[in-house]
Amino acid sequence: MVEIYLLEQLAAFHRCGTLSAAAEELHITQPSLSRSMQKLEDVLGVKLFDRSRNRITLNRTGEMAAGYAEGILQSEKVMEQSIRNYDQSLHTVSLGFCAPGPQILILPGASARFEGMAVSSRMERDDALLEGLHSHRYNCVFLSHPVEEEGMFCKEYLSEHLYLSVPQNHPAATRSSIAFSEMDGQSFLMYKQVGIWEAVVRKMMPKASFFPQEQLEALGELEACSSLPSFVSDISRENLDVRKNGRVAVPFSDPEAEITYYMVCREENKNRFLPLLRGDGNSFSA
């Protein structure tokens, strides 16, 4: 059986190109690395290197072996992290969100639902959330698209609509709706942690300027004394006191201004997480 340290050293040699550079990276002596490579050849029963008086290089078999070594080492890292993530999931409920809207609604119920366990949450892109679900980094995620995947359970949750937020004396305040194109090129105040909504507004208004704020409270203070437009959603406006600030909310009319969220978890965990979608304990919110 090939020992892991031999594969690590072979991968380092392949990466660095010389014994001296690989030995320096591995913090071992060059003779020690040379002996390890000779041992690896003995274990495999093949020659991996072409040796000359002043140089050693991988032959074609060695290149193939180095590729396998790197793959095995990567699989080992994935295995270790997945095991750690799974063990953590037995003590911590980890939820992932693509936007703050579902996070605002879900987290209070999650803390009550999983009493006695730590509840953590994070906001990431859809692809990162799904990868985290596969690797047990998340127990349950909320995405902006449905997932049809064997072993995964997906349930539509609800939709969120984006609004333009402006002072009452702003020219757009009397509008019943407004298109992104009509606001393109203007400057906006914006909360930094808006997840997928940032990509939406940047895509739909490529000429606009955005001034992200780290804290919602700071954003609220700026909105109170600024004529600059900002953003609010139907969820944040209804559920966060800091977003009930006397400004006028004008809905964006584009279809991109509405996102439908989906809860995704492993099939065996669906009964554990489905109650999170219930608004009153008896019926689903969507």
Side-chain angles (χ1 to χ4, degrees):
M1 181 180 292
V2 179
E3 297 176 82
I4 288 293
Y5 83 92
L6 294 176
L7 299 181
E8 291 173 339
Q9 293 182 11
L10 175 62
F13 179 84
H14 182 243
R15 188 166 54 251
C16 296
T18 65
L19 279 175
S20 58
E24 183 178 354
E25 180 182 292
L26 294 165
H27 304 291
I28 61 176
T29 65
Q30 187 172 328
S32 177
L33 178 57
S34 182
R35 288 193 295 271
S36 291
M37 296 301 93
Q38 181 63 62
K39 180 178 179 180
L40 182 58
E41 286 181 318
D42 293 342
V43 170
L44 294 174
V46 297
K47 289 294 182 183
L48 302 176
F49 301 91
D50 291 327
R51 294 177 172 85
S52 61
R53 183 174 181 180
N54 298 315
R55 190 179 181 192
I56 177 174
T57 58
L58 287 168
N59 59 27
R60 292 176 65 181
T61 303
E63 291 283 351
M64 179 183 182
Y68 273 110
E70 290 165 352
I72 291 169
L73 293 171
Q74 181 59 36
S75 295
E76 182 194 30
K77 289 180 180 178
V78 171
M79 179 194 73
E80 290 177 356
Q81 190 59 54
S82 294
I83 291 172
R84 293 191 187 100
N85 290 341
Y86 178 75
D87 181 69
Q88 183 181 9
S89 74
L90 300 178
H91 315 286
T92 302
V93 176
S94 183
L95 305 175
F97 299 90
C98 67
Q103 187 179 42
I104 291 168
L105 298 175
I106 291 295
L107 278 186
S111 299
R113 170 75 181 171
F114 301 107
E115 186 177 358
M117 297 186 71
V119 176
S120 67
S121 71
R122 187 174 177 180
M123 202 177 306
E124 292 191 283
R125 299 187 319 273
D126 279 8
D127 57 345
L129 292 172
L130 194 55
E131 184 280 326
L133 187 61
H134 283 292
S135 65
H136 297 281
R137 187 158 49 91
Y138 293 113
N139 303 110
C140 179
V141 297
F142 289 81
L143 309 179
S144 63
H145 63 83
V147 171
E148 295 182 4
E149 195 174 304
E150 186 176 356
M152 292 294 172
F153 174 79
C154 179
K155 172 72 178 180
E156 183 176 336
Y157 178 31
L158 50 68
S159 296
E160 182 177 32
H161 199 95
L162 189 68
Y163 289 70
L164 175 71
S165 175
V166 293
Q168 295 184 11
N169 60 355
H170 191 278
T174 58
R175 298 283 299 274
S176 59
S177 65
I178 195 164
F180 283 119
S181 60
E182 296 179 83
M183 296 299 295
D184 194 13
Q186 298 198 33
S187 297
F188 292 85
L189 297 171
M190 184 171 68
Y191 180 43
K192 189 173 183 180
Q193 305 298 325
V194 292
I196 194 172
W197 284 119
E198 180 175 358
V200 170
V201 297
R202 288 186 182 277
K203 176 184 177 181
M204 299 303 294
M205 296 183 289
K207 298 178 182 178
S209 298
F210 303 95
F211 300 96
Q213 303 301 310
E214 292 281 353
Q215 302 295 328
L216 268 177
E217 291 76 10
L219 174 62
E221 291 177 6
L222 286 173
E223 288 177 326
C225 60
S226 173
S227 61
L228 289 179
S230 59
F231 305 100
V232 68
S233 79
D234 47 357
I235 294 177
S236 61
R237 189 183 182 204
E238 182 178 344
N239 293 275
L240 298 179
D241 289 340
V242 71
R243 308 309 290 146
K244 301 173 184 177
N245 51 17
R247 281 193 158 210
V248 177
V250 182
F252 283 105
S253 56
D254 308 74
E256 290 84 357
E258 183 161 299
I259 295 177
T260 299
Y261 300 112
Y262 298 83
M263 186 198 82
V264 184
C265 65
R266 293 179 180 274
E267 184 71 35
E268 64 266 26
N269 290 331
K270 66 179 181 181
N271 292 332
R272 185 185 185 199
F273 291 104
L274 270 174
L276 294 179
L277 304 188
R278 297 185 178 124
D280 58 5
N282 297 310
S283 60
F284 288 108
S285 299

